[in-house]
């Protein structure tokens, strides 16, 4: 039925290592102050627990969305931040794959994720994956949800 309506469901972002890719507002502001270009890949972020019935509570958490088109040299401040986690990220880049398609600084996009920012940067419904009560929210601010959410 949904397929007939042209509706597709996607899971939120699975980072592979949240400590590296989830950042505070303070860290976001610092990275953007150092390099205005960084704002292009730092996105407002929503965790499953931030979703309530018919609304969300933005916790001023941000995602470094370093997708497969991101080049390490284009975002020096972000690269420096991610270097703090390089050893963990290098392990994650090939952990469940024979050959990784991504570099250590890039998110390891999986089959169930949208695979493209275009699906996050439009109006959408977001809902929690597992909950004992309805927790849906409407988003028109282009927030990127985590893996515990669907769009």
């Amino acid at each position: 039925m949904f397929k007939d309506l042209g509706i597709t469901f996607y899971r939120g972002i699975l980072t592979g290592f949240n400590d590296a890719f989830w950042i505070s507002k303070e860290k976001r502001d610092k990275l953007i102050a150092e390099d205005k270009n960084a704002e292009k890949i730092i996105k407002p972020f929503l965790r499953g627990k931030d979703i309530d019935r018919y609304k969300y509570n933005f916790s001023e958490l941000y995602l470094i969305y370093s997708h497969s088109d991101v080049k390490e040299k284009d975002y020096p401040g972000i690269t420096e931040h991610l270097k703090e986690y390089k050893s963990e990220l290098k392990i994650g880049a090939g952990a469940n794959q024979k050959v990784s398609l991504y570099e250590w600084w890039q998110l390891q996009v999986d089959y169930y994720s949208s695979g493209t920012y275009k699906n996050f940067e439009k109006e959408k419904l977001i809902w929690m994956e597992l909950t004992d009560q309805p927790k849906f929210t409407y988003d028109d601010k282009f927030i990127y949800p985590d893996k515990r959410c669907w769009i």
Side-chain angles (χ1 to χ4, degrees), residues 8 19 22 41 72 78 82 88 92 97 119 128-129 131:
T8 305
D19 289 348
W22 293 10
I41 64 169
E72 184 179 15
I78 289 176
L82 293 175
E88 293 91 341
Q97 305 168 8
N119 290 315
M128 280 187 63
E129 180 178 42
T131 182

Side-chain angles (χ1 to χ4, degrees), residues 23-26 28-29 45 50 57-62:
I23 59 173
S24 67
K25 181 179 184 336
E26 293 77 27
R28 171 199 175 270
D29 293 347
F45 193 61
D50 297 328
N57 302 303
F58 185 59
S59 61
E60 299 210 359
L61 189 62
Y62 293 85

Side-chain angles (χ1 to χ4, degrees), residues 6 8-9 46 52 56 60 91 116 129 133 139 142-143:
T8 305
F9 300 98
L46 194 64
D52 209 349
Y56 61 86
E60 299 210 359
I91 292 168
T116 176
E129 180 178 42
Q133 56 183 293
D139 169 44
F142 311 139
I143 291 182

